[in-house]
Amino acid sequence: MNVSVIIEYIGVFLIFIGSLFALVSAVGLIRFPDVYTRSHAATKSSTLGVLMTLTGALIYIVVSQGYFSVRLVLGIIFVFLTAPVSGHLVTRAAYRAKVKLADITIEDALEDVIHGKKEELKEDNTN
C-alpha cells in the first residue's frame, strides 16, 4: 500500500463520516420538538457533515486525479460561513415572531434580555 492509496482511504473515510453526520442531522430534524432545537440540528451537525463530505471529496480528487478543485474549496467556505448565520437568523425570526417553545423547555434565557430591554426603553421614555 502506497501513500496515495492511504490518503484516498482518508478521503473516503471523511465522506463516510460526513454522511453519518448528515444522517444524524436528518434524525434530529424529525425527532426534535420545536423550531429552535430543529434549527440547532440543521445547522450544527449538517454543517459538519457537509464540510467533512466536501473535504473528503477534495482530498480524494486531489490524490486520485491530481486535480485541485477550486469549486469544492469555495463550497466549503460558503457552507462554513452561511449555514450557521442562516440558522441563527431563522431562530431569531422565530423567537421574535413568538413561536412557542417546546413544553419540555425549562428556561427561556432570552426572555429577560428581550423584555428587560423593552422595560428599560419604557422607563427611559417616561423620564
Side-chain angles (χ1 to χ4, degrees), residues 51-98:
L51 290 177
M52 290 183 81
T53 302
L54 290 178
T55 304
L58 179 68
I59 290 171
Y60 184 80
I61 289 172
V62 167
V63 172
S64 68
Q65 297 179 1
Y67 174 73
F68 185 79
S69 176
V70 177
R71 289 181 186 177
L72 280 175
V73 172
L74 289 175
I76 291 169
I77 293 169
F78 182 74
V79 169
F80 183 72
L81 292 176
T82 59
V85 173
S86 64
H88 172 75
L89 290 177
V90 166
T91 306
R92 182 177 172 180
Y95 190 82
R96 291 187 182 257
K98 297 184 169 103

Side-chain angles (χ1 to χ4, degrees), residues 18 20-26 28 39-51:
L20 289 179
F21 273 105
L23 178 66
V24 167
S25 177
S39 174
H40 181 76
T43 55
K44 298 288 183 183
S45 59
S46 68
T47 300
L48 184 60
V50 169
L51 290 177

Side-chain angles (χ1 to χ4, degrees), residues 5-21:
V5 173
I6 293 172
I7 295 174
E8 283 181 9
Y9 282 144
I10 291 171
V12 170
F13 180 72
L14 285 174
I15 292 170
F16 177 72
I17 296 298
S19 65
L20 289 179
F21 273 105

